Amino acid sequence: MSLKIKHLNGDTTFLLTFSPTEQRPPSHRYGYPPGTFSVLVDPWLSGPSSMWHPKFLLSKHTVPSCITNLSHIPDPNVVLVSQDKPDHCHEPTLRQLDPTSSLTNVLAVPGAAKKIRGMKHFDPSRVHALPVYSSKDDDSVIRFYIPPLSPGGAAGEATIAYVPAKMDVSGLHNALGITYRPPTAAPSTPPVHHYPKPEFRYSNFSSPYAYHQMRNMPPTPPESPPQRPRSLSNSTEPSTLSTASSSSSIPLSHTTSATSTPSNSNIFHPSHSPSHSTSSATNSSQFPRPAKTLSLIYSPHGLAYAPHIQAYATSHLIAQAALPLTALIHGFDRVENPWYMGGNVNAGLPGGVQIAKHLMARTWIGAHDEDKENSGLSVLKVKIRKFGIGEVRDMVRREWCGGGNGCDVRVLECGEEVVMKS
């Protein structure tokens, strides 16, 4: 399987494409092969970004985006918006998305979801406010069911979680976690008829795709990878790790299109407890382990590893067998405002290196470091400490658990992409 990350602008707009190992002819209708899960992050292609009033903050790109309109890419399964600020939640760019698409769901932090609904561009049932992640709440993780590539294959799954900072006056600091376990064509798990048949519910939209109530998906591997980050094993007792499977689910069709949601509910939360009549053959110890899971953390402004990301990693990522982290998207530059203007804006290298170190990230890609044209009262006293890629690599080498060059640090230019395979 693979993860392709493409930088669409000079700042923090990315197209993430998760694909299974098995190659299938692409779907001409949808633009992606079956089993693919695509996420468009914080789209802002062109035009100014103004917060509250241009005299307070006005930002403009200094690097042209690699595309001029979102119609130049296939409809993504998810549009993910990490902030309600206009450089992340940019209305003119969001309006370029097809509001009638049956493929795309918009997942946004609560403030951004409210703004996007207020645009009245999308069907409100396709705009979802992300719940705050909690290891004690299964419904705080949004899950996408990805059907097998052929009968008898294993279903795949993608998850998205929102981890905000607590008591953050600026409201800038959070992390969005994404995991992807691919569907397969080979019977890597027992045949589907070994499971009780899932219930089906159809949405109130004229969509041909069923809304699956997945009571008995192939089990999520409970173990972490053989090599754990030191911080996880040293600071977390095994008894505190959660391996409960989440129940929030948005299904995808065989062409990976997201279905519309049931009436009276933004996200469907089916019960996830297995039937007591299930055969002993469904015991998780009987199953071969499903495919390895890809994982990504997107945190453009940064978020402290402990306790926020640590709690997510030691519960959800370990339960998903999603460590080491496949990719971290996090800024390099550190940006500070006076305390009365909210204090830290971007954590930059000092914060990002802790995440990369503790989660043993394979790749760290810089984000939100464009030298934009900024004006207004909010930037009069801002202080920026820029870090070159050489400094970042040196810091990673010094801080890396066990030393060595374990993390590939990159800057993707506008239009550049990187593909990670597993």
Side-chain angles (χ1 to χ4, degrees), residues 105-398:
N105 283 281
V106 180
L107 301 184
V109 300
K114 182 178 179 180
K115 284 187 176 182
I116 294 168
R117 290 192 189 102
M119 290 166 46
K120 298 183 179 180
H121 178 70
F122 301 98
D123 189 309
S125 67
R126 288 201 170 273
V127 180
H128 311 291
L130 287 163
V132 174
Y133 175 75
S134 170
S135 61
K136 299 178 181 179
D137 182 2
D138 291 346
D139 288 346
S140 66
V141 174
I142 306 302
R143 290 177 177 255
F144 292 80
Y145 166 76
I146 308 175
L149 298 180
S150 67
E157 182 185 62
T159 74
I160 296 178
Y162 164 51
V163 185
K166 296 179 180 178
M167 307 298 291
D168 181 19
V169 176
S170 66
L172 296 172
H173 301 96
N174 64 39
L176 298 174
I178 305 174
T179 68
Y180 171 82
R181 191 174 71 218
T184 66
S188 59
T189 60
V192 173
H193 64 263
H194 284 193
Y195 302 99
K197 290 185 178 180
E199 299 177 18
F200 292 85
R201 292 181 59 176
Y202 288 86
S203 70
N204 57 332
F205 290 92
S206 56
S207 169
Y209 309 119
Y211 203 94
H212 298 262
Q213 180 175 352
M214 292 306 298
R215 292 185 183 273
N216 292 280
M217 281 187 60
T220 296
E223 299 103 330
S224 63
Q227 184 180 19
R228 293 189 187 183
R230 291 183 181 178
S231 63
L232 301 185
S233 58
N234 291 343
S235 61
T236 306
E237 294 296 327
S239 61
T240 66
L241 303 182
S242 169
T243 57
S245 56
S246 175
S247 58
S248 303
S249 177
I250 301 178
L252 303 177
S253 76
H254 282 278
T255 53
T256 72
S257 63
T259 68
S260 29
T261 54
S263 57
N264 302 322
S265 176
N266 281 343
I267 303 288
F268 183 43
H269 301 288
S271 170
H272 205 78
S273 57
S275 168
H276 292 290
S277 62
T278 302
S279 163
S280 61
T282 62
N283 187 304
S284 62
S285 64
Q286 306 287 330
F287 294 134
R289 177 180 291 187
K292 180 75 172 66
T293 302
L294 296 175
S295 55
L296 178 144
I297 285 180
Y298 173 71
S299 185
H301 288 268
L303 179 68
Y305 173 74
H308 306 99
I309 293 176
Q310 183 182 38
Y312 169 70
T314 56
S315 53
H316 186 67
L317 291 185
I318 285 182
Q320 289 285 312
L323 292 174
L325 190 73
T326 308
L328 170 66
I329 301 180
H330 188 289
F332 296 160
D333 298 342
R334 189 169 181 87
V335 182
E336 297 279 355
N337 252 328
W339 66 268
Y340 54 83
M341 293 289 289
N344 180 261
V345 177
N346 286 11
L349 170 60
V353 74
Q354 296 302 314
I355 303 171
K357 177 181 73 171
H358 289 298
L359 300 185
M360 299 178 66
R362 289 174 51 194
T363 301
W364 177 2
I365 295 172
H368 217 1
D369 293 331
E370 180 186 13
D371 291 323
K372 296 183 287 293
E373 182 183 323
N374 294 321
S375 61
L377 296 173
S378 66
V379 298
L380 292 179
K381 295 185 179 295
V382 70
K383 294 181 179 180
I384 302 175
R385 168 63 165 96
K386 298 193 73 66
F387 291 93
I389 191 168
E391 292 178 280
V392 178
R393 288 171 176 163
D394 288 344
M395 177 75 78
V396 168
R397 291 189 190 103
R398 290 196 300 269

Side-chain angles (χ1 to χ4, degrees), residues 56 108 251 288 304 393 401:
F56 181 78
R393 288 171 176 163
C401 293

